[in-house]
Each structure stands twice: as C-alpha cells, then as structure tokens.
C-alpha cells in the first residue's frame, strides 16, 4: 500500500518572518531576509507624491514633512526627496519669489530684525518663510534651535512659516539642504523667504550665493576703518 503524500505547507512571505527556533539537526536559527528594499522605495515614492500634492495645495503640515524628508541623511530618503523636488518645482513661480539672506556675528539681533521685517511683510499680504540655521554641538551633535523664541509675534502670524534647522557641522553659515528647503517653501506658495545664518565671521559667505539680497548686521564698535575695508563677507553684502 502506497503512503499518502505529505501535506503541503503554505508559503509564508519572508518579510513576515524574522527567525525560527533551531531544530535538533540544524546548527542554528534559520534567518530570513527583512522587507525588500524595493518595497521600501515604493513606499517612499508614494509618500513623495502625496506630499507634493498637499504641499502645492498650501498645507503647512505637508511642508514641514517635506522639509524633514529633504533634510534626512538616509540614502532611501534622498531618492524620495529628489523625486519630491522634481514634482513640486514646476509649480514654483520664480517671478514672484524673493529671497533675503540675513547674516552677522552672534548676538547682533538677526532674529529681532526678522520679526519686525516679517510682520511688515505680512501686513502687505506677503507669505513669509523664515529658515533659521542654528549651530550644532561638536561634542553631542545637538542643536538648541531656539531662534523661534525670539519671534513670538511672527510665530503666531498665519502668514508666516518659521523652520529652524541644525547646521550639523556644515561651514558657511547655512545647512546642507538650505537651498532645497527654500525651493520647497517657494513651491508651497511662500513668495518671501528669509534665510537667517548662524553667527558668522569673515569667511562664511555661502548664503550670498543662495539669495537675491544679502544683508549683513554689524554690531557697534566692531572695528576700525581698516576692518571695514577687509575682503570677505563685507564686500559681498548688499546692505
């Protein structure tokens, strides 16, 4: 008499399994591969498309999430961020946008000036985005991100969007993705973008190449006439 065939086991997708206990004859646990990279890439691609639609519609939460995606250092997030930018850039009206860079040494009143300027722009029915770059600790890697506390009235204005970002050790006064973040803000309907740099010295001039107008704040008693004619950040300032 012939023995019945063994029962067929149902195939379980590997992504639902992590490990199985070792059998008496196996040397160790059976390992399965995690969720494939292709599935993760598809998920991020769908996220980029959803964010692009909401961002162009003017949703502030979508803009915040889009900035987080662009500033991420994960390789998969980088691909999704590039896709997001390619989706929203055609909706950007460059003829209506104006970028202003405000820089200066620490404690010169950059945030205070931005609040006064921002309230004036909001009263003229402009939509303002403030990108405040904060220095990062070389010991812990963290940032205070406290510039928003110096703009209490502007923070409560519905026409303003304030986003602090860490410098993460990048020299030049701005963060690594500041230009991409400015493009997202402009694509989201903000026609005035202000970039506030970290407290800078004479050679941190990267922001001058990202904006239409570069404003340099200098505290009183910052040097003699010779200091004023030195090359560097002084010669690049428009105001």
């Amino acid at each position: 008499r012939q023995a019945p065939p063994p029962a067929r086991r149902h195939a379980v997708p590997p992504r639902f399994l992590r490990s199985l206990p070792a059998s008496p004859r196996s040397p160790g646990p059976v390992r399965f591969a995690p969720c494939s990279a292709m599935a993760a890439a598809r998920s991020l691609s769908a996220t980029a498309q959803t964010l692009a639609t909401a961002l162009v519609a003017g949703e502030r939460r979508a803009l915040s999430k889009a900035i987080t995606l662009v500033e991420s250092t994960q390789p998969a997030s980088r691909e999704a961020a590039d896709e997001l930018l390619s989706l929203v850039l055609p909706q950007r009206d460059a003829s209506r946008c104006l970028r202003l860079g405000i820089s200066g040494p620490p404690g010169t009143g950059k945030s205070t000036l931005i609040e006064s300027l921002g309230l004036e722009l909001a009263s003229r029915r402009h939509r303002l985005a403030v990108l405040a770059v904060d220095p990062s600790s070389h010991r812990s890697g963290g940032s205070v991100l406290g510039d928003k506390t110096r703009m209490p009235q502007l923070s409560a204005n519905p026409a303003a969007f304030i986003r602090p970002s860490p410098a993460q050790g990048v020299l030049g006064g701005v963060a690594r993705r500041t230009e991409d973040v400015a493009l997202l803000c402009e694509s989201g309907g903000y026609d005035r973008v202000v970039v506030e740099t970290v407290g800078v010295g004479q050679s941190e001039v990267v922001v001058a190449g990202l904006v239409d107008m570069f404003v340099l704040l200098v505290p009183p008693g910052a040097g003699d006439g010779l200091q004023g004619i030195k090359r560097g950040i002084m010669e690049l300032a428009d105001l």
Side-chain angles (χ1 to χ4, degrees):
R1 186 176 180 182
Q2 196 172 18
R8 185 177 178 181
R9 296 182 179 179
H10 295 283
V12 180
R15 63 178 179 273
F16 295 111
L17 299 176
R18 291 299 177 264
S19 64
L20 292 178
S23 63
R25 297 181 180 179
S26 62
V30 180
R31 301 287 180 178
F32 291 91
C35 181
S36 66
M38 293 182 61
R42 286 194 297 267
S43 176
L44 285 173
S45 178
T47 301
Q49 295 175 6
T50 304
L51 285 178
T53 303
L55 189 151
V56 174
E59 295 186 14
R60 295 167 63 95
R61 183 177 297 181
L63 177 58
S64 298
K65 292 182 178 180
I67 294 175
T68 301
L69 178 63
V70 166
E71 290 181 339
S72 174
T73 57
Q74 298 296 326
S77 298
R78 186 67 256 164
E79 296 179 3
D82 292 339
E83 182 180 358
L84 173 64
L85 289 169
S86 66
L87 291 172
V88 301
L89 283 183
Q91 310 298 326
R92 171 178 173 264
D93 188 0
S95 61
R96 296 179 58 252
C97 300
L98 177 68
R99 295 185 192 176
L100 179 67
I102 297 182
S103 186
T108 52
K110 296 186 291 294
S111 299
T112 305
L113 173 63
I114 290 174
E115 179 172 49
S116 299
L117 179 62
L119 292 174
E120 178 64 24
L121 290 173
S123 67
R124 299 186 183 187
R125 298 184 178 180
H126 289 288
R127 298 189 68 197
L128 173 71
V130 179
L131 309 180
V133 184
D134 212 37
S136 299
S137 171
H138 289 278
R139 295 183 177 179
S140 65
S143 298
V144 177
L145 303 179
D147 291 324
K148 194 173 181 179
T149 61
R150 298 192 180 99
M151 311 176 199
Q153 299 182 38
L154 189 61
S155 300
N157 196 305
F161 175 84
I162 304 175
R163 174 71 179 218
S165 298
Q168 295 180 332
V170 177
L171 302 179
V174 296
R176 191 181 307 275
R177 302 296 178 187
T178 298
E179 185 173 12
D180 292 341
V181 174
L183 290 173
L184 289 176
C185 294
E186 292 168 352
S187 301
Y190 292 90
D191 58 340
R192 297 295 183 266
V193 177
V194 177
V195 180
E196 179 188 359
T197 70
V198 300
V200 300
Q202 293 179 328
S203 301
E204 288 85 355
V205 296
V206 175
V207 67
L210 305 180
V211 298
D212 301 302
M213 184 177 183
F214 180 36
V215 179
L216 177 64
L217 301 184
V218 181
D224 54 12
L226 179 61
Q227 190 71 27
I229 65 175
K230 284 185 177 182
R231 302 301 180 185
I233 196 171
M234 297 291 291
E235 63 178 338
L236 294 179
D238 299 306
L239 180 64

